[in-house]
mmCIF file of all heavy atoms in Angstrom:
data_model
loop_
_atom_site.group_PDB
_atom_site.id
_atom_site.type_symbol
_atom_site.label_atom_id
_atom_site.label_comp_id
_atom_site.label_asym_id
_atom_site.label_seq_id
_atom_site.Cartn_x
_atom_site.Cartn_y
_atom_site.Cartn_z
ATOM 1 N N THR A 1 89.192 104.752 91.891
ATOM 2 C CA THR A 1 88.064 105.673 91.924
ATOM 3 C C THR A 1 87.525 105.718 93.389
ATOM 4 O O THR A 1 87.843 104.822 94.171
ATOM 5 C CB THR A 1 86.942 105.280 91.091
ATOM 6 O OG1 THR A 1 86.499 103.930 91.417
ATOM 7 C CG2 THR A 1 87.380 105.336 89.521
ATOM 8 N N ALA A 2 86.695 106.752 93.665
ATOM 9 C CA ALA A 2 86.110 106.764 95.112
ATOM 10 C C ALA A 2 85.183 105.556 95.253
ATOM 11 O O ALA A 2 85.081 105.064 96.374
ATOM 12 C CB ALA A 2 85.322 108.045 95.154
ATOM 13 N N PHE A 3 84.560 105.075 94.208
ATOM 14 C CA PHE A 3 83.712 103.789 94.438
ATOM 15 C C PHE A 3 84.566 102.692 94.794
ATOM 16 O O PHE A 3 84.143 101.923 95.799
ATOM 17 C CB PHE A 3 83.062 103.541 93.135
ATOM 18 C CG PHE A 3 82.554 102.098 92.888
ATOM 19 C CD1 PHE A 3 81.324 101.695 93.707
ATOM 20 C CD2 PHE A 3 83.164 101.101 92.262
ATOM 21 C CE1 PHE A 3 80.875 100.341 93.648
ATOM 22 C CE2 PHE A 3 82.761 99.809 92.308
ATOM 23 C CZ PHE A 3 81.520 99.439 92.935
ATOM 24 N N GLU A 4 85.820 102.399 94.262
ATOM 25 C CA GLU A 4 86.643 101.382 94.650
ATOM 26 C C GLU A 4 87.100 101.453 96.195
ATOM 27 O O GLU A 4 87.005 100.576 96.859
ATOM 28 C CB GLU A 4 87.870 101.404 93.696
ATOM 29 C CG GLU A 4 87.563 100.935 92.408
ATOM 30 C CD GLU A 4 88.761 101.150 91.382
ATOM 31 O OE1 GLU A 4 89.782 100.513 91.563
ATOM 32 O OE2 GLU A 4 88.794 102.156 90.585
ATOM 33 N N GLY A 5 87.270 102.707 96.487
ATOM 34 C CA GLY A 5 87.714 102.978 97.950
ATOM 35 C C GLY A 5 86.563 102.637 98.868
ATOM 36 O O GLY A 5 86.834 102.097 99.989
ATOM 37 N N ARG A 6 85.366 103.011 98.477
ATOM 38 C CA ARG A 6 84.183 102.888 99.417
ATOM 39 C C ARG A 6 83.747 101.376 99.387
ATOM 40 O O ARG A 6 83.377 100.831 100.535
ATOM 41 C CB ARG A 6 83.031 103.705 98.966
ATOM 42 C CG ARG A 6 83.275 105.124 99.298
ATOM 43 C CD ARG A 6 81.929 105.902 99.115
ATOM 44 N NE ARG A 6 81.358 105.893 97.712
ATOM 45 C CZ ARG A 6 81.707 106.783 96.763
ATOM 46 N NH1 ARG A 6 82.450 107.773 97.135
ATOM 47 N NH2 ARG A 6 81.310 106.590 95.595
ATOM 48 N N PHE A 7 83.821 100.686 98.295
ATOM 49 C CA PHE A 7 83.197 99.317 98.238
ATOM 50 C C PHE A 7 84.213 98.208 98.679
ATOM 51 O O PHE A 7 83.830 97.342 99.417
ATOM 52 C CB PHE A 7 82.754 99.088 96.827
ATOM 53 C CG PHE A 7 82.007 97.769 96.688
ATOM 54 C CD1 PHE A 7 80.677 97.586 97.047
ATOM 55 C CD2 PHE A 7 82.671 96.591 96.208
ATOM 56 C CE1 PHE A 7 80.103 96.397 96.850
ATOM 57 C CE2 PHE A 7 81.936 95.398 96.119
ATOM 58 C CZ PHE A 7 80.655 95.260 96.425
ATOM 59 N N PHE A 8 85.428 98.313 98.313
ATOM 60 C CA PHE A 8 86.359 97.258 98.611
ATOM 61 C C PHE A 8 87.174 97.642 99.831
ATOM 62 O O PHE A 8 88.324 97.976 99.944
ATOM 63 C CB PHE A 8 87.386 97.190 97.454
ATOM 64 C CG PHE A 8 86.689 96.687 96.169
ATOM 65 C CD1 PHE A 8 86.474 97.701 95.242
ATOM 66 C CD2 PHE A 8 86.298 95.430 95.950
ATOM 67 C CE1 PHE A 8 85.748 97.229 93.886
ATOM 68 C CE2 PHE A 8 85.660 94.943 94.773
ATOM 69 C CZ PHE A 8 85.371 95.886 93.730
ATOM 70 N N HIS A 9 86.422 97.481 100.953
ATOM 71 C CA HIS A 9 86.922 98.002 102.278
ATOM 72 C C HIS A 9 87.277 96.910 103.257
ATOM 73 O O HIS A 9 87.751 97.140 104.343
ATOM 74 C CB HIS A 9 85.845 99.004 102.929
ATOM 75 C CG HIS A 9 84.534 98.493 102.986
ATOM 76 N ND1 HIS A 9 84.200 97.416 103.829
ATOM 77 C CD2 HIS A 9 83.391 98.789 102.279
ATOM 78 C CE1 HIS A 9 82.857 97.098 103.723
ATOM 79 N NE2 HIS A 9 82.340 97.860 102.782
ATOM 80 N N SER A 10 86.819 95.611 102.986
ATOM 81 C CA SER A 10 87.098 94.578 103.924
ATOM 82 C C SER A 10 88.070 93.579 103.283
ATOM 83 O O SER A 10 88.279 93.606 102.085
ATOM 84 C CB SER A 10 85.837 93.841 104.191
ATOM 85 O OG SER A 10 85.302 93.119 103.046
ATOM 86 N N PRO A 11 88.690 92.721 104.140
ATOM 87 C CA PRO A 11 89.711 91.730 103.481
ATOM 88 C C PRO A 11 89.116 90.989 102.383
ATOM 89 O O PRO A 11 89.785 90.792 101.327
ATOM 90 C CB PRO A 11 90.042 90.884 104.742
ATOM 91 C CG PRO A 11 89.872 91.793 105.894
ATOM 92 C CD PRO A 11 88.681 92.668 105.581
ATOM 93 N N ALA A 12 87.874 90.467 102.558
ATOM 94 C CA ALA A 12 87.310 89.641 101.426
ATOM 95 C C ALA A 12 87.039 90.469 100.175
ATOM 96 O O ALA A 12 87.347 89.946 99.043
ATOM 97 C CB ALA A 12 85.968 89.059 101.895
ATOM 98 N N ARG A 13 86.669 91.705 100.368
ATOM 99 C CA ARG A 13 86.382 92.554 99.157
ATOM 100 C C ARG A 13 87.798 92.971 98.527
ATOM 101 O O ARG A 13 87.902 93.262 97.367
ATOM 102 C CB ARG A 13 85.523 93.766 99.512
ATOM 103 C CG ARG A 13 84.038 93.291 99.894
ATOM 104 C CD ARG A 13 83.191 94.550 100.035
ATOM 105 N NE ARG A 13 81.880 94.199 100.481
ATOM 106 C CZ ARG A 13 80.740 94.947 100.422
ATOM 107 N NH1 ARG A 13 80.937 96.252 100.085
ATOM 108 N NH2 ARG A 13 79.594 94.605 100.763
ATOM 109 N N LYS A 14 88.730 93.183 99.471
ATOM 110 C CA LYS A 14 89.997 93.645 98.902
ATOM 111 C C LYS A 14 90.734 92.461 98.037
ATOM 112 O O LYS A 14 91.325 92.716 97.037
ATOM 113 C CB LYS A 14 90.936 94.157 100.045
ATOM 114 C CG LYS A 14 90.647 95.450 100.521
ATOM 115 C CD LYS A 14 91.686 95.995 101.368
ATOM 116 C CE LYS A 14 91.550 95.455 102.881
ATOM 117 N NZ LYS A 14 92.595 96.070 103.700
ATOM 118 N N ILE A 15 90.428 91.229 98.471
ATOM 119 C CA ILE A 15 90.861 90.007 97.743
ATOM 120 C C ILE A 15 90.216 90.132 96.319
ATOM 121 O O ILE A 15 90.800 89.839 95.284
ATOM 122 C CB ILE A 15 90.645 88.818 98.465
ATOM 123 C CG1 ILE A 15 91.516 88.580 99.663
ATOM 124 C CG2 ILE A 15 90.784 87.614 97.438
ATOM 125 C CD1 ILE A 15 91.242 87.483 100.539
ATOM 126 N N LEU A 16 88.889 90.333 96.370
ATOM 127 C CA LEU A 16 88.093 90.414 95.116
ATOM 128 C C LEU A 16 88.726 91.460 94.212
ATOM 129 O O LEU A 16 88.850 91.419 93.057
ATOM 130 C CB LEU A 16 86.619 90.653 95.359
ATOM 131 C CG LEU A 16 85.773 90.823 94.096
ATOM 132 C CD1 LEU A 16 85.748 89.634 93.372
ATOM 133 C CD2 LEU A 16 84.225 91.151 94.602
ATOM 134 N N TRP A 17 89.009 92.719 94.801
ATOM 135 C CA TRP A 17 89.540 93.810 94.004
ATOM 136 C C TRP A 17 90.898 93.416 93.498
ATOM 137 O O TRP A 17 91.035 93.820 92.250
ATOM 138 C CB TRP A 17 89.738 95.035 95.083
ATOM 139 C CG TRP A 17 90.078 96.295 94.387
ATOM 140 C CD1 TRP A 17 89.358 97.170 93.795
ATOM 141 C CD2 TRP A 17 91.460 96.829 94.462
ATOM 142 N NE1 TRP A 17 90.157 98.204 93.309
ATOM 143 C CE2 TRP A 17 91.457 98.088 93.735
ATOM 144 C CE3 TRP A 17 92.724 96.397 95.022
ATOM 145 C CZ2 TRP A 17 92.481 98.905 93.552
ATOM 146 C CZ3 TRP A 17 93.833 97.258 94.870
ATOM 147 C CH2 TRP A 17 93.673 98.443 94.167
ATOM 148 N N LEU A 18 91.639 92.729 94.168
ATOM 149 C CA LEU A 18 92.927 92.362 93.581
ATOM 150 C C LEU A 18 92.660 91.384 92.360
ATOM 151 O O LEU A 18 93.405 91.477 91.346
ATOM 152 C CB LEU A 18 93.838 91.591 94.628
ATOM 153 C CG LEU A 18 94.321 92.467 95.767
ATOM 154 C CD1 LEU A 18 95.079 91.563 96.809
ATOM 155 C CD2 LEU A 18 95.371 93.549 95.197
ATOM 156 N N PHE A 19 91.749 90.467 92.514
ATOM 157 C CA PHE A 19 91.460 89.610 91.296
ATOM 158 C C PHE A 19 90.984 90.482 90.180
ATOM 159 O O PHE A 19 91.345 90.083 89.024
ATOM 160 C CB PHE A 19 90.250 88.710 91.690
ATOM 161 C CG PHE A 19 90.843 87.331 92.264
ATOM 162 C CD1 PHE A 19 90.586 86.867 93.619
ATOM 163 C CD2 PHE A 19 91.603 86.455 91.435
ATOM 164 C CE1 PHE A 19 91.036 85.686 94.002
ATOM 165 C CE2 PHE A 19 92.087 85.316 91.960
ATOM 166 C CZ PHE A 19 91.810 84.791 93.243
ATOM 167 N N LEU A 20 90.275 91.517 90.374
ATOM 168 C CA LEU A 20 89.627 92.340 89.332
ATOM 169 C C LEU A 20 90.571 93.445 88.823
ATOM 170 O O LEU A 20 90.217 94.244 88.058
ATOM 171 C CB LEU A 20 88.358 93.010 89.818
ATOM 172 C CG LEU A 20 87.237 91.902 90.221
ATOM 173 C CD1 LEU A 20 85.975 92.657 90.765
ATOM 174 C CD2 LEU A 20 86.801 91.135 88.874
ATOM 175 N N GLN A 21 91.791 93.409 89.238
ATOM 176 C CA GLN A 21 92.799 94.555 88.894
ATOM 177 C C GLN A 21 92.771 94.675 87.360
ATOM 178 O O GLN A 21 92.758 95.854 86.922
ATOM 179 C CB GLN A 21 94.202 94.160 89.454
ATOM 180 C CG GLN A 21 94.311 94.668 90.845
ATOM 181 C CD GLN A 21 94.508 96.199 90.972
ATOM 182 O OE1 GLN A 21 95.525 96.847 90.600
ATOM 183 N NE2 GLN A 21 93.400 96.792 91.495
ATOM 184 N N PRO A 22 92.837 93.575 86.632
ATOM 185 C CA PRO A 22 92.882 93.833 85.131
ATOM 186 C C PRO A 22 91.619 94.555 84.607
ATOM 187 O O PRO A 22 91.791 95.392 83.848
ATOM 188 C CB PRO A 22 93.037 92.415 84.601
ATOM 189 C CG PRO A 22 93.485 91.574 85.665
ATOM 190 C CD PRO A 22 92.991 92.236 86.888
ATOM 191 N N VAL A 23 90.484 94.329 85.199
ATOM 192 C CA VAL A 23 89.283 94.894 84.709
ATOM 193 C C VAL A 23 89.281 96.463 85.147
ATOM 194 O O VAL A 23 88.967 97.304 84.262
ATOM 195 C CB VAL A 23 88.042 94.304 85.411
ATOM 196 C CG1 VAL A 23 86.738 95.005 84.960
ATOM 197 C CG2 VAL A 23 87.893 92.795 85.113
ATOM 198 N N PHE A 24 89.728 96.742 86.298
ATOM 199 C CA PHE A 24 89.729 98.187 86.592
ATOM 200 C C PHE A 24 90.815 98.933 85.832
ATOM 201 O O PHE A 24 90.633 100.062 85.444
ATOM 202 C CB PHE A 24 89.995 98.295 88.144
ATOM 203 C CG PHE A 24 88.886 97.964 89.018
ATOM 204 C CD1 PHE A 24 88.844 96.854 89.808
ATOM 205 C CD2 PHE A 24 87.681 98.710 88.885
ATOM 206 C CE1 PHE A 24 87.755 96.588 90.587
ATOM 207 C CE2 PHE A 24 86.560 98.391 89.712
ATOM 208 C CZ PHE A 24 86.547 97.342 90.497
ATOM 209 N N TYR A 25 91.877 98.256 85.548
ATOM 210 C CA TYR A 25 92.964 98.999 84.751
ATOM 211 C C TYR A 25 92.462 99.320 83.254
ATOM 212 O O TYR A 25 92.896 100.200 82.636
ATOM 213 C CB TYR A 25 94.295 98.176 84.749
ATOM 214 C CG TYR A 25 95.132 98.669 85.821
ATOM 215 C CD1 TYR A 25 95.199 97.919 87.023
ATOM 216 C CD2 TYR A 25 96.102 99.742 85.661
ATOM 217 C CE1 TYR A 25 96.030 98.309 88.091
ATOM 218 C CE2 TYR A 25 96.865 100.176 86.657
ATOM 219 C CZ TYR A 25 96.912 99.471 87.871
ATOM 220 O OH TYR A 25 97.738 99.889 88.916
ATOM 221 N N VAL A 26 91.572 98.456 82.804
ATOM 222 C CA VAL A 26 90.985 98.644 81.524
ATOM 223 C C VAL A 26 89.870 99.699 81.508
ATOM 224 O O VAL A 26 89.851 100.690 80.696
ATOM 225 C CB VAL A 26 90.394 97.337 80.932
ATOM 226 C CG1 VAL A 26 89.610 97.601 79.621
ATOM 227 C CG2 VAL A 26 91.600 96.441 80.623
ATOM 228 N N LEU A 27 88.920 99.665 82.555
ATOM 229 C CA LEU A 27 87.811 100.523 82.581
ATOM 230 C C LEU A 27 88.082 101.833 83.261
ATOM 231 O O LEU A 27 87.407 102.882 82.858
ATOM 232 C CB LEU A 27 86.681 99.732 83.318
ATOM 233 C CG LEU A 27 86.172 98.504 82.711
ATOM 234 C CD1 LEU A 27 84.965 97.960 83.539
ATOM 235 C CD2 LEU A 27 85.709 98.688 81.297
ATOM 236 N N ARG A 28 88.914 101.886 84.229
ATOM 237 C CA ARG A 28 89.179 103.170 84.917
ATOM 238 C C ARG A 28 89.584 104.314 84.118
ATOM 239 O O ARG A 28 88.954 105.412 84.179
ATOM 240 C CB ARG A 28 90.221 102.986 85.980
ATOM 241 C CG ARG A 28 90.284 104.090 87.071
ATOM 242 C CD ARG A 28 91.417 103.928 88.110
ATOM 243 N NE ARG A 28 91.296 102.666 88.809
ATOM 244 C CZ ARG A 28 92.126 101.814 89.037
ATOM 245 N NH1 ARG A 28 93.451 102.039 88.690
ATOM 246 N NH2 ARG A 28 91.916 100.701 89.807
ATOM 247 N N PRO A 29 90.457 104.153 83.143
ATOM 248 C CA PRO A 29 90.776 105.297 82.221
ATOM 249 C C PRO A 29 89.594 105.838 81.446
ATOM 250 O O PRO A 29 89.468 107.149 81.186
ATOM 251 C CB PRO A 29 91.728 104.804 81.298
ATOM 252 C CG PRO A 29 92.399 103.674 82.053
ATOM 253 C CD PRO A 29 91.337 103.000 82.772
ATOM 254 N N LEU A 30 88.732 104.981 81.092
ATOM 255 C CA LEU A 30 87.485 105.390 80.289
ATOM 256 C C LEU A 30 86.547 106.338 81.132
ATOM 257 O O LEU A 30 85.827 107.138 80.620
ATOM 258 C CB LEU A 30 86.741 104.118 79.740
ATOM 259 C CG LEU A 30 87.572 103.267 78.921
ATOM 260 C CD1 LEU A 30 86.724 102.020 78.559
ATOM 261 C CD2 LEU A 30 88.204 103.862 77.787
ATOM 262 N N TYR A 31 86.644 106.122 82.392
ATOM 263 C CA TYR A 31 85.694 106.903 83.267
ATOM 264 C C TYR A 31 86.495 108.174 83.864
ATOM 265 O O TYR A 31 85.962 109.195 83.915
ATOM 266 C CB TYR A 31 85.281 106.043 84.474
ATOM 267 C CG TYR A 31 84.544 106.710 85.533
ATOM 268 C CD1 TYR A 31 83.226 107.178 85.362
ATOM 269 C CD2 TYR A 31 85.242 106.992 86.776
ATOM 270 C CE1 TYR A 31 82.603 107.889 86.404
ATOM 271 C CE2 TYR A 31 84.542 107.707 87.750
ATOM 272 C CZ TYR A 31 83.256 108.139 87.597
ATOM 273 O OH TYR A 31 82.590 108.795 88.621
ATOM 274 N N VAL A 32 87.767 107.943 84.299
ATOM 275 C CA VAL A 32 88.447 108.955 85.059
ATOM 276 C C VAL A 32 88.988 110.061 84.032
ATOM 277 O O VAL A 32 88.810 111.222 84.284
ATOM 278 C CB VAL A 32 89.608 108.391 85.887
ATOM 279 C CG1 VAL A 32 90.471 109.510 86.452
ATOM 280 C CG2 VAL A 32 89.032 107.401 86.915
ATOM 281 N N ASN A 33 89.562 109.576 82.940
ATOM 282 C CA ASN A 33 90.277 110.538 82.075
ATOM 283 C C ASN A 33 90.188 110.001 80.606
ATOM 284 O O ASN A 33 91.161 109.549 79.913
ATOM 285 C CB ASN A 33 91.714 110.650 82.502
ATOM 286 C CG ASN A 33 92.446 111.801 81.761
ATOM 287 O OD1 ASN A 33 91.805 112.605 80.954
ATOM 288 N ND2 ASN A 33 93.770 111.764 81.850
ATOM 289 N N PRO A 34 88.936 110.022 80.022
ATOM 290 C CA PRO A 34 88.782 109.493 78.762
ATOM 291 C C PRO A 34 89.666 110.277 77.641
ATOM 292 O O PRO A 34 89.507 111.462 77.712
ATOM 293 C CB PRO A 34 87.239 109.433 78.461
ATOM 294 C CG PRO A 34 86.769 110.550 79.423
ATOM 295 C CD PRO A 34 87.684 110.528 80.682
#
C-alpha cells in the first residue's frame, strides 16, 4: 500500500517491514481488494 511505501523508508524501518511481512500479507487483501 501507499502507507507501506511512505512509512517504511529507512533501513531500520525496512527491516521492521520484512519482519511484519506475514501481517501485511494477511491484512493487505482486506484493505486493497476485499
Side-chain angles (χ1 to χ4, degrees):
T1 61
F3 163 76
E4 292 170 71
R6 287 192 298 267
F7 185 80
F8 298 100
H9 53 68
S10 67
R13 292 189 182 190
K14 284 191 280 186
I15 290 173
L16 176 61
W17 184 78
L18 291 173
F19 269 117
L20 294 175
Q21 277 289 285
V23 176
F24 286 115
Y25 267 94
V26 170
L27 297 181
R28 193 185 298 139
L30 305 178
Y31 172 75
V32 173
N33 188 13

